[in-house]
Amino acid sequence: MDYDEQLDRAIAETPDIAEGSDRFEVPDPEVRPEGNVTVYENFQTTLDRLDRSEEHVTKFLQTDLGTSASIDEKGRVRLTGDFRARRVADALESYVDSFVRCQECGLPDTQVVTEQGTRVLKCDACGALSPVPDL
């Protein structure tokens, strides 16, 4: 295989990052009070967008909001206490900054992986490895 063929193959296999970070938007949380809990209605949609595990995001929300939480049979998060949508959105923004966006290039094309026994954020766009906080 000559250089031009290798270059074409490499370009074809590179993730498309031309659209920039504007292409990544986390849906606004839809929350409503239900007795002494706040129900996060569109949690599954948020998970799909973040491409992170239900357990990890839920644990972060519990820690950031200082409450307990559970997932109900419909996949919604039930947060103990009264939380406004803005407060939940702020917690999600913190999650995205710590566990989704690359600290080097700012793109969301990342995954949390374990490298040499340490959990890091690996960027598929630029190849950077960044430490992630413990939960």
Side-chain angles (χ1 to χ4, degrees):
M1 190 181 304
D2 71 357
Y3 174 79
D4 288 332
E5 289 173 335
Q6 289 178 354
L7 183 60
D8 289 341
R9 190 173 120 222
I11 290 171
E13 292 178 8
T14 302
D16 182 16
I17 59 172
E19 296 174 18
S21 60
D22 294 343
R23 66 189 165 88
F24 180 73
E25 289 183 24
V26 178
D28 291 331
E30 296 170 10
V31 299
R32 66 177 175 78
E34 186 177 283
N36 66 342
V37 301
T38 300
V39 180
Y40 185 165
E41 295 284 348
N42 62 334
F43 184 64
Q44 291 301 318
T45 304
T46 302
L47 285 179
D48 292 344
R49 193 70 190 112
L50 295 176
D51 193 25
R52 296 297 185 265
S53 76
E54 182 177 88
E55 296 80 18
H56 196 255
V57 178
T58 303
K59 188 173 181 179
F60 182 87
L61 289 175
Q62 288 180 103
T63 302
D64 195 76
L65 297 173
T67 190
S68 61
S70 62
I71 308 290
D72 68 14
E73 66 281 350
K74 295 180 181 177
R76 304 173 301 185
V77 169
R78 300 176 63 80
L79 302 160
T80 303
D82 183 23
F83 296 96
R84 302 281 181 243
R86 182 74 251 149
R87 179 66 184 103
V88 177
D90 289 345
L92 282 174
E93 188 174 321
S94 293
Y95 182 85
V96 168
D97 289 344
S98 297
F99 297 99
V100 179
R101 286 197 192 276
C102 174
Q103 308 223 342
E104 295 297 319
C105 69
L107 294 173
D109 304 313
T110 62
Q111 50 191 313
V112 177
V113 298
T114 302
E115 296 259 334
Q116 299 176 356
T118 304
R119 289 172 40 100
V120 295
L121 192 65
K122 181 177 181 181
C123 183
D124 294 332
C126 74
L129 295 174
S130 306
V132 293
D134 291 330
L135 287 181

